Amino acid sequence: MKLPSPPLPKALRRTPPRPGENGGRNGRRNGAPATTPTAKDQAVEGVAGVVGWLDERTGGSPFLRGFLYRKVPKGTNWYYTLGSATMFAFLSQAVTGVFLAMYYEPDPSRAYESASRITNEVFLGEFVRGMHRWGSTVMIILIFLHMGRTFFFGAYKYPRELNWIIGVVLIVLTLLMGLTGYLLPFDQRSFWATIVAVNLNSSGPIVGPYLADFLRVGSEFGPTTISRFYALHMLAVPGLIAVLIGAHLYLVAKLGTTAPPWLKAEKKDLLREEV
Ligand code: HEM
């Protein structure tokens, strides 16, 4: 059943002028003196104007309202925020990553130096690099907690199996972000840890050796390995994650979220068909 579009938020609604008060385009109505609109009125009017302008040209408001104003089941609790928290961790990684990419050089002879320059010389570099490093751990913790929530609440069952499958791909891609990012500082630890990880990878069945060759760009680590990891880390994998998050959220909006498993239908009669 299609729900009616919910009303616009109060702050974006135009208040009709009261009789005798500041009405009309020239600020007067019924000969009453004009009152000066406050800065807040002007700001609301400005925002409503821009929203109206965009809506007239895109017809986007029914879509946005349907997407953003959804009925949620009774008993929705803090555990339901873990998906959004994961998404914000991803966005924070994307923003900090863009700033790091402005200074990082994916070249075996420059990578270590450029990464240390970010920490020691660039304005707020240590802070942004720290956010990106800790953010990666935070995102992985959150994604596992979110997966646990959907598993224990039975949200993987019909009709949400496809969203679960998309989630599984997202978790693999998130781990791949961790693997490809780990090499980039190019210090002793990151270099040898990545060699161990890729060797482990190559021992996997059937595709393992091919995957390892693809990651190394050949059978050994070479001068182009770091650019391959960099391209995967900052373009291919995050692009795919962004597209899949879009599909994931579309399905959440379309199917709604599940009620907690401990809630039962309130009245059995409501489940019976009327005769
Ligand atoms: C980048 C990673 C991910 C993001 C940004 C994300 C985001 C979200 C959001 C915002 C929701 C709705 C609110 C909520 O239930 O928390 C949701 C629901 C859901 N997610 Fe994820 N998710 C991610 C990864 C995963 C993973 C790894 C799985 C499972 C393998 C998964 C399975 C599901 C399922 C089944 C639902 C529906 C929940 C329900 O109907 O109650 N998601 N996701």
Side-chain angles (χ1 to χ4, degrees), residues 1-7 61-73 252-257:
M1 189 187 66
K2 198 171 179 330
L3 294 169
S5 281
S61 80
F63 167 78
L64 276 181
R65 278 193 237 176
F67 196 73
L68 297 174
Y69 291 77
R70 282 176 291 116
K71 300 224 169 200
V72 292
V252 169
K254 188 168 167 55
L255 303 171
T257 44

Side-chain angles (χ1 to χ4, degrees), residues 53 92 105 122 185 198:
W53 190 90
S92 158
E105 296 171 60
V122 174
V198 175

Side-chain angles (χ1 to χ4, degrees), residues 201-214 216 218:
N201 208 307
S202 70
S203 64
I206 308 166
V207 287
Y210 298 103
L211 207 60
D213 281 357
F214 169 75
R216 282 185 300 236

Side-chain angles (χ1 to χ4, degrees), residues 80 83-84 143 146-147 149-150 155 160 167-168 248-249 252 257-258:
Y80 287 74
S84 312
I143 201 172
H146 171 60
M147 185 171 79
R149 195 292 279 171
T150 54
R160 299 184 178 80
V168 171
H248 198 68
L249 294 186
V252 169
T257 44
T258 41

Side-chain angles (χ1 to χ4, degrees), residues 118-132:
I118 293 174
T119 300
N120 300 318
E121 289 169 40
V122 174
F123 175 64
L124 290 182
E126 190 174 8
F127 176 66
V128 174
R129 204 176 154 195
M131 270 185 80
H132 198 73

Side-chain angles (χ1 to χ4, degrees), residues 46-239:
V47 173
V50 173
V51 171
W53 190 90
L54 281 172
D55 190 30
E56 224 174 305
R57 280 149 189 87
T58 59
S61 80
F63 167 78
L64 276 181
R65 278 193 237 176
F67 196 73
L68 297 174
Y69 291 77
R70 282 176 291 116
K71 300 224 169 200
V72 292
K74 254 190 185 172
T76 297
N77 52 41
W78 280 98
Y79 296 114
Y80 287 74
T81 58
L82 288 166
S84 312
T86 313
M87 188 172 68
F88 281 105
F90 173 69
L91 291 178
S92 158
Q93 290 303 90
V95 172
T96 49
V98 166
F99 285 104
L100 292 177
M102 290 177 188
Y103 299 95
Y104 179 73
E105 296 171 60
D107 179 287
S109 59
R110 306 270 317 135
Y112 176 76
E113 213 174 278
S114 66
S116 350
R117 199 165 72 85
I118 293 174
T119 300
N120 300 318
E121 289 169 40
V122 174
F123 175 64
L124 290 182
E126 190 174 8
F127 176 66
V128 174
R129 204 176 154 195
M131 270 185 80
H132 198 73
R133 205 186 178 95
W134 282 98
S136 64
T137 308
V138 168
M139 183 172 170
I140 287 177
I141 292 173
L142 286 172
I143 201 172
F144 273 103
L145 290 176
H146 171 60
M147 185 171 79
R149 195 292 279 171
T150 54
F151 178 75
F152 286 114
F153 282 37
Y156 56 86
K157 294 179 194 168
Y158 176 84
R160 299 184 178 80
E161 302 95 323
L162 181 60
N163 226 9
W164 175 266
I165 294 168
I166 294 178
V168 171
V169 180
L170 277 170
I171 219 167
V172 172
L173 291 175
T174 306
L175 294 175
L176 190 59
M177 286 297 281
L179 175 79
T180 51
Y182 205 85
L183 177 69
L184 302 180
F186 222 56
D187 51 24
Q188 289 291 329
R189 187 171 54 172
S190 86
F191 182 74
W192 292 108
T194 309
I195 290 199
V196 172
V198 175
N199 284 346
L200 280 175
N201 208 307
S202 70
S203 64
I206 308 166
V207 287
Y210 298 103
L211 207 60
D213 281 357
F214 169 75
L215 287 171
R216 282 185 300 236
V217 199
S219 56
E220 292 293 333
F221 267 71
T224 39
T225 309
I226 196 164
S227 352
R228 170 105 4 141
F229 272 60
Y230 188 56
L232 290 173
H233 185 77
M234 59 107 55
L235 288 171
V237 184

